[in-house]
Amino acid sequence: MKRKQRSKRVIPGFGLTMGITLALLGLIVIIPLASIVISASGLGFAEFVGIVTDRRIMDGYKVSFLCALIAALINSFFGVVLAWVLVRYDFPLKRIADGLIELPFAIPTAVAGIALTTLYSDNGWIGGLFAKAGIKIAYTRVGITIAMIFIGIPFIVRSIQPVLEKLDRQYEEAAAMLGAGRVVSFFCIILPEITPALLTGFGLAFARALGEYGSVVFIAGNIPYKTEIAPLLIMGKLEQFDYEGATAIALVMLLISFLILLLINSVQIYAGKFAGE
């Protein structure tokens, strides 16, 4: 009789490592999120609805979600271009350019916010040029979107780069031999392969922009009903010791963000299956 060979696991002690994993997930993710729900449960339903549907709060949601969505879409386009250039072309100082992509991760968000405000204000290098044409960037939703683009672009590039590096160029060469142009090759061969990674980067960039505070609050100007972001409204509630109101706003953002990320992941799974066929 043949003895059944036990499958060898790469990491020994599966039960111990799984226990550590579940414990960390519980302490770092599940318990903090559950605390938001528990804190908001202290409010009555009518009071909860009254807080989250206040005009100022609704405008804050609108600014945060709209600017985060626009920034993520812009980052998706330029992120593909940057990843393509960094993978497919060799040029002087390529490694430095590749390292600069991660600069938004390295610098403090407050420093980024001050730098962007100085650059895009009416007296700044770039903002001054637009101010002469009557276009205001800082302290508007345009400035908020620019700050979100700045902190979100690395997620797109770093998600797509590994896929492009592993992509076999023989498929592109075969398509070219069959008469397909560059546009057709990109949309029929390359884009389906990078779509799951692009959706992942889009979701990460959107989530980061939605919850960003430090780099956005300086350039936003924090004008009520116009440029106030939802995280700023939460901070305002906390400064007033209105913890239940802050958790109510946070809970709505959490639910909407969860639904959006769930939709993105569903599309990503479908795109992955479609690309694998």
Side-chain angles (χ1 to χ4, degrees):
M1 296 178 64
K2 296 182 179 180
R3 296 181 179 179
K4 295 181 180 180
Q5 297 180 352
R6 295 181 179 179
S7 59
K8 295 182 180 179
R9 294 187 172 92
V10 177
I11 300 178
F14 173 76
L16 177 61
T17 53
M18 177 59 71
I20 294 174
T21 301
L22 294 177
L24 288 176
L25 286 175
L27 291 173
I28 298 174
V29 179
I30 298 176
I31 293 178
L33 295 181
S35 66
I36 296 178
V37 179
I38 295 173
S39 298
S41 62
L43 295 170
F45 180 76
E47 189 177 1
F48 175 84
V49 173
I51 292 174
V52 299
T53 58
D54 181 75
R55 183 192 167 191
R56 186 172 181 179
I57 305 301
M58 292 296 292
D59 286 340
Y61 289 144
K62 181 179 178 180
V63 171
S64 293
F65 282 98
L66 182 61
C67 292
L69 178 61
I70 295 174
L73 291 173
I74 294 174
N75 278 333
S76 298
F77 175 78
F78 288 103
V80 172
V81 175
L82 287 172
W84 181 271
V85 171
L86 292 173
V87 172
R88 293 299 180 92
Y89 299 105
D90 291 322
F91 52 90
L93 305 178
K94 177 180 177 179
R95 291 187 177 181
I96 295 177
D98 190 25
L100 288 175
I101 295 297
E102 297 180 353
L103 188 61
F105 289 157
I107 61 177
T109 56
V111 174
I114 294 173
L116 291 172
T117 304
T118 303
L119 186 63
Y120 289 100
S121 65
D122 292 343
N123 298 324
W125 293 348
I126 297 178
L129 298 176
F130 284 91
K132 294 179 181 178
I135 301 174
K136 189 177 182 62
I137 297 179
Y139 314 127
T140 66
R141 295 184 182 182
V142 176
I144 296 174
T145 305
I146 291 175
M148 291 180 175
I149 291 173
F150 174 79
I151 55 95
I153 190 66
F155 292 100
I156 306 290
V157 178
R158 293 304 185 227
S159 297
I160 297 175
Q161 261 186 302
V163 180
L164 287 177
E165 290 173 352
K166 295 179 181 179
L167 187 63
D168 194 347
R169 300 189 184 186
Q170 292 182 355
Y171 295 107
E172 301 172 50
E173 295 173 358
M177 292 177 63
L178 293 174
R182 295 182 178 179
V183 176
V184 175
S185 297
F186 177 80
F187 283 99
C188 295
I189 298 175
I190 299 173
L191 185 59
E193 293 292 332
I194 67 173
T195 295
L198 178 60
L199 290 173
T200 300
F202 176 87
L204 292 173
F206 176 80
R208 171 65 189 275
L210 190 61
E212 182 63 17
Y213 177 78
S215 60
V216 176
V217 69
F218 291 96
I219 198 171
N222 311 322
I223 304 173
Y225 307 105
K226 293 183 178 180
T227 61
E228 278 186 327
I229 56 176
L232 176 66
L233 295 173
I234 295 174
M235 290 297 298
K237 292 287 186 180
L238 292 175
E239 290 175 354
Q240 299 170 7
F241 301 100
D242 185 4
Y243 299 112
E244 292 181 344
T247 53
I249 301 172
L251 180 60
V252 173
M253 289 192 65
L254 176 63
L255 293 176
I256 297 176
S257 300
F258 178 78
L259 292 176
I260 293 175
L261 292 177
L262 180 63
L263 176 61
I264 293 173
N265 288 331
S266 300
V267 175
Q268 180 186 4
I269 294 172
Y270 175 79
K273 291 181 179 179
F274 179 78
E277 293 180 353

